[in-house]
Amino acid sequence: MRPVVDLHKVRAVGRPLRRRSATVDRAMVHAETRTRLRHDPIVVFSLGKTGTTALTTALESASGRPVVKAHALSPAGIETRLAKARRLRIVDRPRFLWACEQIARTLDAGGRWDLLCGVRDPIALAVSDHFYGLQRQREVGRDPWLDPEDGEAHTAAIVDNIRANFVDTDWFAAELGAVTGIDVYATPFPHDEGSRTYAHGRFRALVVRAEDLPTTGPRAIASFLGLDAPLTIERRNEGTATDPTSAYRRFIDGATLPPALVDEVYDTRLARHFYSDEERARLRAEWTGVLV
């Protein structure tokens, strides 16, 4: 039986060293993550910007269990996100991604795992991710990589994001499938329910659409995890989305995207699987300004 590690003592001893050395800091993040993974954690392994921050808070409160979160666990996925962190210069030390490295190692080593995954309209996700990156740069005192008032620059960057992450890449194949063997596309997704449980070998995964997280999601998650009552999920990160003066809100209200790209996005396997024909037609009209 492994000895119980006192996380507070580990941090106290390592804190001065980790301030001076990124290598020590990374090792400490790995050690802390290993400790959390020994205590029956809930693993949120999901596309970003799908409500995972609010979900993590709700799960910790309702379950009393540690919650670990990752947006990438494949080697290629982690490296891609490390490169993005270096490019944006939002954090000096990408501790979240270092934790992902350890989560990947632990899941690969064995055991049975229940995972929570989120999915969202790909274009809404890409737009949210773009403006969140700008917001984080301002919060840490970095100059944004583009003029916040340059609508054409926003559109170009978002188009690149959409193409790289949803046309040229499929998260459910490149991440969830590669890490767990779960093929979400092998079983139809119930659009009216907004969630479904998938399983393969040592892994079970509940996929919940972000659009359904406030409604049917709390009960589905509680059932999946064996909780006594539906989750209470508070909405977060809505400030810039609801502020009519923000560049994010103005983009959502007034910008349109190239119809050919929008068609391409909503014809991807991911969009067709998780969203019905009617839902995709409505989304296409919203993002192109063209009714169908």
Side-chain angles (χ1 to χ4, degrees):
M1 181 176 179
R2 292 177 175 174
V4 176
V5 177
D6 188 326
L7 194 55
H8 295 291
K9 289 183 179 179
V10 171
R11 287 174 175 165
V13 172
R15 192 172 294 119
L17 291 174
R18 72 191 303 173
R19 288 197 195 103
R20 293 193 294 267
S21 167
T23 300
V24 172
D25 195 6
R26 190 175 195 169
M28 292 296 295
V29 170
H30 286 178
E32 292 164 356
T33 305
R34 282 196 301 273
T35 299
R36 291 178 65 79
L37 288 166
R38 292 183 187 128
H39 293 84
D40 190 26
I42 299 170
V43 181
V44 177
F45 178 30
S46 174
L47 282 159
K49 312 310 295 177
T50 57
T52 55
T53 299
L55 177 59
T56 296
T57 301
L59 287 170
E60 289 174 337
S61 175
S63 70
R65 296 164 59 187
V67 181
V68 296
K69 184 170 73 170
H71 299 320
L73 292 176
S74 72
I78 292 173
E79 180 51 43
T80 296
R81 287 159 178 78
L82 285 170
K84 179 179 179 180
R86 290 191 291 267
R87 183 175 72 253
L88 298 184
R89 300 181 299 125
I90 291 173
V91 293
D92 293 326
R93 298 181 182 180
R95 296 185 179 92
F96 175 73
L97 293 169
W98 291 346
C100 290
E101 294 173 334
Q102 184 58 55
I103 295 169
R105 294 171 188 170
T106 303
L107 265 60
D108 187 55
R112 304 189 69 83
W113 299 91
D114 290 338
L115 313 172
L116 290 173
C117 308
V119 66
R120 182 181 180 184
D121 163 23
I123 295 180
L125 192 159
V127 172
S128 177
D129 179 65
H130 169 77
F131 285 100
Y132 177 72
L134 289 174
Q135 176 187 335
R136 288 290 293 120
Q137 284 193 310
R138 287 193 295 272
E139 289 173 351
V140 300
R142 305 286 193 191
D143 291 331
W145 75 91
L146 54 77
D147 180 353
E149 302 304 317
D150 188 342
E152 291 185 1
H154 285 307
T155 298
I158 289 166
V159 166
D160 288 344
N161 185 323
I162 292 169
R163 184 163 295 283
N165 294 301
F166 294 103
V167 175
D168 298 338
T169 304
D170 180 336
W171 186 90
F172 284 94
E175 288 296 329
L176 184 66
V179 171
T180 69
I182 291 174
D183 178 5
V184 296
Y185 301 114
T187 308
F189 186 83
H191 305 121
D192 56 336
E193 297 176 15
S195 64
R196 187 179 188 95
T197 298
Y198 301 87
H200 179 78
R202 301 184 292 113
F203 298 96
R204 286 197 317 150
L206 175 68
V207 179
V208 182
R209 297 196 308 189
E211 295 85 355
D212 299 291
L213 191 57
T215 54
T216 59
R219 189 172 298 280
I221 294 167
S223 175
F224 179 73
L225 294 174
L227 303 179
D228 293 333
L231 290 181
T232 299
I233 304 175
E234 296 183 6
R235 303 299 289 172
R236 297 171 61 101
N237 300 327
E238 290 187 339
T240 55
T242 56
D243 178 1
T245 66
S246 71
Y248 183 15
R249 185 70 253 172
R250 294 199 305 273
F251 186 92
I252 293 173
D253 289 341
T256 58
L257 295 169
L261 175 67
V262 174
D263 286 344
E264 198 172 5
V265 171
Y266 291 133
D267 195 43
T268 60
R269 185 168 60 162
L270 183 151
R272 286 185 285 107
H273 184 72
F274 290 109
Y275 297 88
S276 69
D277 293 344
E278 294 78 11
E279 289 168 333
R280 287 183 287 114
R282 175 180 53 79
L283 291 168
R284 182 190 185 282
E286 290 178 1
W287 291 114
T288 62
V290 178
L291 296 178
V292 294

